[in-house]
Amino acid sequence: MRRDTRRTNVFTRRALLLGGIEVLALGGLAAKLYQVQVLEGTRYALLAESNRISARLLAPPRGRLLDRATTPLAGNRMNWRAVLVAEQTSDVAETLARFSALIPLSDHERARIDRELLHSRRFIPIILRDFLEWEEMAQIEVNAPDLPGVLIDVGTTRLYPFGQTLAHVVGYVAPPGEDEAEDEPMLALPGMRIGRAAMEKFHDLALRGKAGLVQVEVNAAGRVIREISREEGIPGADITLTIDSGLQQDVMQTLETESASAVVLDATNGEVLAMATTPSFDPSLFNSGVSQAQWNEWTKNRQTPLINKAVAGLYAPGSTFKMVVAMAGLSARTITPGERIFCPGYLDLGDTRFHCWSRYGHGALDLRGGLKNSCDVFFYEVARRTGIDAIAAMAKRFGLGVRPAIELPEARTGLVPTRAWREGHGHHWNPGDTVVHGIGQGFLQLTPIQLATMAARIATGRAVEPHLTRSIGATQSPGAAPGDWPALDVPAPFLHMVREGMWAVVNEPGGTAPLARLDLPGVQLAGKTGSTQVRHVSREAREHGHFNSENLPWEFRPHALFVAFAPYDAPRYALAVVVEHGNAGAQRAAPLARAIMTDVLLRDPAGHTPDGGARLAVRAGAAGEATP
Amino acid sequence: MMERRLYRGQTFGIVAKLREVSWLYVALLALLAAVGYTALYSAGGGPQPFANRHALRFVVGLVILVATALTDLRLIQRLAWPLYALGVGLLLMVARFGHVGKGAQRWIEIGGFQLQPSELMKIFLVLALASWFHRASFERIGNPLFLIPPALATALPVALILKQPNLGTAIITALVAGAVFFAAGVRWWKFALVALLVVLAAPIAYHHLHDYQRARIETFLHPESDPLGTGYNIIQSKIALGSGGLWGKGFLNGTQGRLDFLPEKQTDFIFTVLAEEFGLIGALAVLFLITLIIAGGYVIALRARQPFGRLVAIGITTNYSLYVFVNLAMVMGVIPVGGVPLPLVSHGGSALLTAMFGFGLLLSVEVHRDAAAESERETR
């Protein structure tokens, strides 16, 4: 019994010890709970929130580009598309194989998908196929169980109703690059596009809008349980351009199969009414990536369809530069109004003889005659007397060799050389160089839009800058009123003399551009031709008289240029036409200028605005002519 | 006195025995099951799919509990070794025909009922060991040779459970057995010797662990190193606990649980659902209830007059408290995650019924506390 008591005592002691340990252990857990729930509670509460809440961006619709009468030039359309979320399928290759069994994917598409699979994060949907047809969608839906990770969603895609007609002005959009998406999370959304050229690029931020933000509660699998808050995005702004889409279409048709470009400006305010470049391209092809074959076709084409020649094509201005030389001479008083210069058909300077285009010479000419006949010797002499720097300074006042204000990232500055520029390149400026620049050759490199700007400034005497934007959203862009533009720093009489010369070129018997004469009652066009060599003409060829540029291969023929404004007595429109390798401005460019200007005057695009606007009524004028 | 008690313990009618059942203790268990109902209601987002089944199982469990409580303790004692043999048999069956779940063979199906034999085995082992030590005098317990059979009886099922492999349950089984050895009066230094052997063997054992078991230990040591892999459970569980704060987010308002961030929230991590929604206050209240149940087990152990009953009570209570400790320590990230549910709270039929059977044994000890087992007298 004693032993039994002892055993009971041992048991009691040990039971109490075991129980004590167990309760103590639970106490320890209670302390741990206090630590986690109270001392560290705030931290874990934050973690729970960030677990629960997921912020998602809502892609705003991209703004539209409208013409001056609010016709859409670039819009959006619904795009039903098949997307693949890589993380939702165990075997991406297998899913793709099954998908392409239903909807065949081209090698080009496969390459793009593989590329995106490689670069995107696994939960970002990758577009398999855009613009699904109804039957295709049905096929995908029916086979959904076999296509894990494949979903159909709706996005928008860029639509260019005018296609090739406005490709160089409107530009195009393309998927953003990886680094771009890193800076702006919105760009990582599927189907987001950013402007890659022209207006789409220049106004990209305004067109893009601001992404909305929706905060959703998600479960552990990432599925949305409910929406907590929603902040609507701001849709991209609609941007109204100065372009008249109808005129643009006509101009494109006029240029037709040429490799050419034409710019039509409202000379009073610099609005670009039409800017045409041929050949063109289909901007919508960039939407989902251009195939290598297409790209090669574009880049290997000698007529450079991707380049907006109106702002990025560089040409020697040729005789269209003579107005600038004339005004430089007048300003520098190296030639006086009415002064006559004798043209024997050439100018000798040292050992070098510079030929006039007319082998027989023009005899004695004043400034008006010099322009009318486009006499080279006259302008050789004026340039020789005036010097290159004074000519360059005058050229800059007309926007030549200056980067135009045009809102096109592709626009180039061109080159108007000066003595300092030449010496900066380690050469001497020779007197002969100056002479050549008198007829717009030599180092001069200008773009059609610069020539059109020059024509507009000559016509109105205002320092208008070419521009394409009328309004961004509801905000009017400045520059629509002529009063927005300062007067040009050139004496009005000089401008008047040059305009008279340009009138004579077209309208006086013996002028070089009779083909540019308008067939409209009461309205006259003033202009100037230009033909610029792209290859040196050897002296022997010229002297032996068997030089004929028509016989040259296409790429060695001279460019044909024409600048013009109209109506002569109340200038409203200015234009420049350049036909690459078109041989002679008078033959090839002048008729195009005439056709375009006729169209411009009959349409009166400046009146084509959403708010109406002052109309220049050619037809009314014609009627008035008939009445008297 | 003795005669009367003996008489009362042996032949009292069912009604008299029912009166002897500690209904207060049953009420504590029912209260804990109600806590489980609440948590499962939240985890399932309504009475389905977990809460109502839990309630039904508790009712079934209650029947088992009362039936066991009314069973004569001496009958249980006589059945101790046969039951032990049955348990080992079941473990062997698991090894042979068991279903593979999460990389381990743990349960078998008997008549559509999933059974984890390792759970039953712990109880049967407690009965067997209690029965062994019941007969032993104090001197015999001091004899090392006398300890070899019960040591082997412990080692066999532990080895079988380890082989499943189920490290957590194997350790709990060994500890429960240890508690019975300890309460029976085995010397301290013998435990120290075994502990030393275990420490020495641990590195070798680590070598033989399965990859997932090693992964658990490594995640336990560095949970933040792999937040979306194996460390995910611990991190999400701690976020659930911590974000509950002092007062909790309110019933059905726990974001971690309701949005499925909590892994296996209805089983192993059920406590975090409670702690998230009812905060530290609620968690401590549950902890207090559990403490009462454990303390009640010790009261029964101390009140029992015959060694078999005492040791059974110690073994059952220790088994329960180890369960609780391992589960809670696991969800708090104190020990590696180990697939141990919280008895009476977690969803799961097998575990609940086994626990109720265990508590039934405990109550049987209470009902028959005064019945001096004849075998003890025989040995004298």
Side-chain angles (χ1 to χ4, degrees):
Chain A
M1 206 59 202
R2 202 180 60 82
R3 282 195 310 242
D4 200 40
T5 314
R6 192 174 154 209
R7 191 180 169 187
T8 308
N9 288 343
V10 168
F11 173 79
T12 307
R13 249 190 350 257
R14 291 195 168 188
L16 287 174
L17 190 63
L18 275 176
I21 289 170
E22 282 162 22
V23 172
L24 213 63
L26 289 184
L29 291 180
K32 177 72 183 174
L33 268 179
Y34 177 76
Q35 186 206 339
V36 172
Q37 295 202 273
V38 176
L39 299 184
E40 297 172 0
T42 328
R43 197 187 95 172
Y44 285 117
L46 276 176
L47 286 174
E49 282 298 286
S50 64
N51 250 352
R52 173 174 83 95
I53 293 171
S54 165
R56 309 210 164 175
L57 289 171
L58 300 169
R62 191 172 172 88
R64 295 178 303 164
L65 291 168
L66 309 170
D67 90 337
R68 60 190 299 121
T70 68
T71 310
L73 307 179
N76 303 307
R77 71 161 157 147
M78 297 284 256
N79 169 17
W80 296 94
R81 58 200 180 185
V83 298
L84 172 71
V85 183
E87 106 185 319
Q88 289 176 11
T89 171
S90 50
D91 188 345
V92 173
E94 173 68 21
T95 304
L96 277 177
R98 288 193 193 142
F99 182 86
S100 52
L102 294 174
I103 295 165
L105 294 169
S106 68
D107 290 347
H108 164 53
E109 282 176 298
R110 273 307 288 261
R112 176 188 58 76
I113 291 165
D114 288 344
R115 202 166 55 235
E116 288 188 23
L117 277 172
L118 207 62
H119 293 303
S120 307
R121 288 193 284 177
R122 286 178 59 77
F123 58 85
I124 303 249
I126 289 166
I127 294 172
L128 296 181
R129 168 62 66 82
D130 273 310
F131 313 117
L132 291 175
E133 299 296 328
W134 188 250
E135 301 84 68
E136 291 175 321
M137 281 168 65
Q139 274 200 308
I140 295 171
E141 293 289 0
V142 165
N143 292 286
D146 291 338
L147 297 169
V150 175
L151 312 164
I152 291 178
D153 78 352
V154 61
T156 59
T157 189
R158 209 60 170 157
L159 183 69
Y160 298 108
F162 285 87
Q164 303 212 357
T165 302
L166 270 153
H168 296 106
V169 174
V170 165
Y172 50 83
V173 293
E178 237 184 317
D179 44 337
E180 288 162 318
E182 263 170 39
D183 298 338
E184 170 59 67
M186 179 173 105
L187 294 178
L189 295 170
M192 275 308 278
R193 295 287 183 265
I194 71 172
R196 284 283 186 229
M199 294 308 269
E200 290 271 34
K201 180 175 180 182
F202 185 83
H203 285 302
D204 191 50
L205 282 180
L207 289 168
R208 216 187 266 173
K210 205 166 157 285
L213 188 71
V214 59
Q215 289 200 313
V216 289
E217 189 172 82
V218 294
N219 69 5
R223 177 171 298 153
V224 175
I225 303 299
R226 69 188 174 94
E227 204 171 287
I228 293 169
S229 73
R230 175 182 276 266
E231 183 190 318
E232 291 294 346
I234 301 167
D238 283 350
I239 293 178
T240 309
L241 305 188
T242 58
I243 293 287
D244 181 304
S245 54
L247 175 65
Q248 175 81 14
Q249 280 177 313
D250 290 352
V251 175
M252 285 298 281
Q253 262 168 23
T254 305
L255 298 182
E256 233 177 356
T257 56
E258 306 275 10
S259 176
S261 63
V263 176
V264 181
L265 298 180
D266 183 330
T268 63
N269 59 11
E271 287 184 347
V272 178
L273 301 171
M275 179 186 284
T277 294
T278 54
S280 187
F281 63 94
D282 180 357
S284 59
L285 292 178
F286 282 91
N287 253 337
S288 50
V290 173
S291 72
Q292 193 63 43
Q294 177 68 73
W295 182 254
N296 288 344
E297 190 192 316
W298 280 333
T299 49
K300 294 210 172 105
N301 189 333
R302 289 183 309 181
Q303 300 188 341
T304 61
L306 289 181
I307 291 174
N308 182 355
K309 297 185 192 106
V311 298
L314 292 174
Y315 310 96
S319 301
T320 59
F321 194 62
K322 285 174 178 168
M323 285 82 82
V324 169
V325 176
M327 283 182 287
L330 289 166
S331 282
R333 299 175 192 281
T334 52
I335 174 175
T336 54
E339 182 181 349
R340 287 174 169 267
I341 293 173
F342 183 76
C343 166
Y346 57 85
L347 175 81
D348 282 331
L349 188 74
D351 294 341
T352 318
R353 172 163 289 190
F354 295 90
H355 291 273
C356 189
W357 65 268
S358 164
R359 294 169 71 185
Y360 310 107
H362 292 99
L365 292 171
D366 63 359
L367 174 57
R368 190 172 184 277
L371 282 171
K372 174 185 165 185
N373 294 291
S374 199
C375 173
D376 290 341
V377 169
F378 184 93
F379 289 96
Y380 288 150
E381 178 61 16
V382 175
R384 190 189 62 77
R385 293 182 194 172
T386 310
I388 189 65
D389 287 347
I391 293 172
M394 183 57 71
K396 297 225 149 93
R397 288 189 212 169
F398 286 90
L400 307 179
V402 178
R403 196 193 181 287
I406 190 86
E407 307 92 314
L408 294 172
E410 297 83 6
R412 297 180 69 173
T413 304
L415 175 65
V416 173
T418 59
R419 193 177 290 272
W421 169 82
R422 186 68 176 151
E423 282 165 2
H425 283 72
H427 299 282
H428 282 291
W429 185 269
N430 299 315
D433 292 333
T434 310
V435 170
V436 176
H437 285 80
I439 61 162
Q441 301 280 356
F443 303 114
L444 282 165
Q445 295 271 285
L446 299 174
T447 61
I449 196 156
Q450 287 175 326
L451 295 175
T453 306
M454 175 189 77
R457 291 184 180 188
I458 290 171
T460 60
R462 288 191 181 276
V464 294
E465 284 281 3
H467 58 277
L468 277 163
T469 312
R470 275 186 77 88
S471 61
I472 299 174
T475 317
Q476 292 288 322
S477 297
D484 291 350
W485 304 100
L488 208 57
D489 183 21
V490 177
F494 298 173
L495 288 168
H496 185 69
M497 290 168 75
V498 167
R499 285 200 288 259
E500 270 189 348
M502 290 172 72
W503 176 83
V505 166
V506 178
N507 299 292
E508 228 171 48
T512 52
L515 293 178
R517 201 173 302 160
L518 293 179
D519 194 17
L520 291 169
V523 195
Q524 288 179 319
L525 174 150
K528 184 70 194 79
T529 57
S531 309
T532 67
Q533 296 161 15
V534 292
R535 202 172 86 150
H536 186 71
V537 178
S538 74
R539 188 187 299 185
E540 306 92 87
R542 188 186 290 275
E543 288 183 346
H544 290 91
H546 52 65
F547 170 75
N548 184 346
S549 57
E550 294 278 356
N551 299 332
L552 287 171
W554 181 79
E555 62 265 41
F556 294 138
R557 293 179 199 166
H559 298 313
L561 291 77
F562 200 83
V563 298
F565 65 88
Y568 170 66
D569 44 10
R572 183 69 210 249
Y573 300 109
L575 66 76
V577 181
V578 176
V579 181
E580 287 190 333
H581 310 294
N583 263 326
Q587 273 78 52
R588 293 297 287 280
L592 298 178
R594 171 181 182 265
I596 292 168
M597 193 58 93
T598 303
D599 197 45
V600 170
L601 292 167
L602 289 176
R603 286 179 163 275
D604 187 14
H608 295 177
T609 61
D611 46 3
R615 293 190 67 90
L616 171 106
V618 169
R619 280 178 188 162
E625 195 82 358
T627 345
Chain B
M1 270 299 270
M2 193 70 123
E3 290 305 311
R4 202 185 67 78
R5 277 184 190 152
L6 184 69
Y7 173 72
R8 197 176 76 177
Q10 280 167 343
T11 55
F12 260 20
I14 284 194
V15 177
K17 274 194 179 182
L18 275 173
R19 224 181 279 140
E20 286 296 311
V21 171
S22 168
W23 293 106
L24 177 66
Y25 200 72
V26 175
L28 288 178
L29 296 178
L31 195 57
L32 189 60
V35 167
Y37 184 90
T38 311
L40 289 170
Y41 188 98
S42 175
Q48 301 297 343
F50 308 129
N52 278 357
R53 277 162 72 191
H54 183 73
L56 186 69
R57 282 169 183 161
F58 180 73
V59 171
V60 174
L62 216 50
V63 173
I64 293 176
L65 175 128
V66 173
T68 313
L70 299 184
T71 308
D72 194 315
L73 196 58
R74 281 171 305 171
L75 176 64
I76 294 170
Q77 191 179 349
R78 274 201 292 279
L79 287 174
W81 284 104
L83 285 174
Y84 174 86
L86 174 70
V88 171
L90 286 173
L91 278 179
L92 287 170
M93 270 177 70
V94 169
R96 190 85 198 264
F97 312 109
H99 292 269
V100 176
K102 295 186 186 170
Q105 288 183 317
R106 285 181 180 170
W107 45 274
I108 49 175
E109 237 176 71
I110 297 171
F113 188 75
Q114 290 172 7
L115 189 70
Q116 277 206 35
S118 55
E119 303 304 320
L120 277 175
M121 187 66 237
K122 276 186 289 181
I123 291 171
F124 295 160
L125 179 62
V126 165
L127 293 179
L129 293 176
S131 153
W132 179 265
F133 286 115
H134 176 78
R135 299 160 199 271
S137 66
F138 201 66
E139 285 76 13
R140 288 182 75 185
I141 289 173
N143 178 1
L145 287 178
F146 180 74
L147 295 180
I148 287 174
L152 287 177
T154 307
L156 177 63
V158 168
L160 284 172
I161 294 168
L162 259 181
K163 242 186 103 54
Q164 285 183 351
N166 188 345
L167 182 65
T169 307
I171 290 175
I172 291 179
T173 309
L175 288 175
V176 167
V180 177
F181 276 79
F182 184 70
V186 175
R187 295 277 182 187
W188 280 97
W189 65 266
K190 286 173 184 151
F191 288 96
L193 187 70
V194 172
L196 187 69
L197 285 176
V198 169
V199 168
L200 289 179
I204 303 160
Y206 185 79
H207 246 316
H208 290 94
L209 286 181
H210 281 250
D211 284 343
Y212 86 98
Q213 288 171 321
R214 280 195 216 173
R216 272 182 185 169
I217 291 172
E218 310 227 315
T219 0
F220 163 67
L221 294 173
H222 311 283
E224 272 81 14
S225 66
D226 181 18
L228 284 177
T230 28
Y232 177 86
N233 291 3
I234 292 178
I235 291 174
Q236 293 302 334
S237 165
K238 285 176 85 171
I239 290 175
L241 292 173
S243 63
L246 185 61
W247 296 104
K249 297 177 185 171
F251 185 48
L252 300 182
N253 286 331
T255 59
Q256 286 287 103
R258 301 192 52 77
L259 298 174
D260 294 331
F261 286 102
L262 282 178
E264 304 183 41
K265 59 185 172 186
Q266 77 278 14
T267 56
D268 292 4
F269 288 86
I270 191 68
F271 184 74
T272 56
V273 174
L274 284 169
E276 188 186 11
E277 298 191 351
F278 300 100
L280 181 67
I281 301 297
L284 288 183
V286 175
L287 223 50
F288 181 67
L289 178 58
I290 288 170
T291 308
L292 286 182
I293 290 171
I294 291 171
Y298 279 97
V299 169
I300 290 170
L302 292 172
R303 266 155 59 101
R305 291 186 52 83
Q306 77 294 52
F308 177 74
R310 288 176 194 159
L311 293 177
V312 166
I314 291 288
I316 299 290
T317 310
T318 303
N319 183 25
Y320 174 68
S321 53
L322 274 173
Y323 252 111
V324 171
F325 181 81
V326 169
N327 177 270
L328 297 187
M330 168 183 84
V331 300
M332 291 176 206
V334 180
I335 62 166
V337 179
V340 174
L342 189 60
L344 298 190
V345 183
S346 288
H347 182 75
S350 168
L352 184 128
L353 297 182
T354 315
M356 291 300 269
F357 173 55
F359 285 120
L361 289 173
L362 193 62
L363 288 176
S364 172
V365 172
E366 169 73 358
V367 170
H368 305 92
R369 61 184 176 271
D370 293 330
E374 47 199 287
S375 51
E376 190 186 28
R377 301 166 126 219
E378 282 162 9
T379 53
R380 274 188 207 152

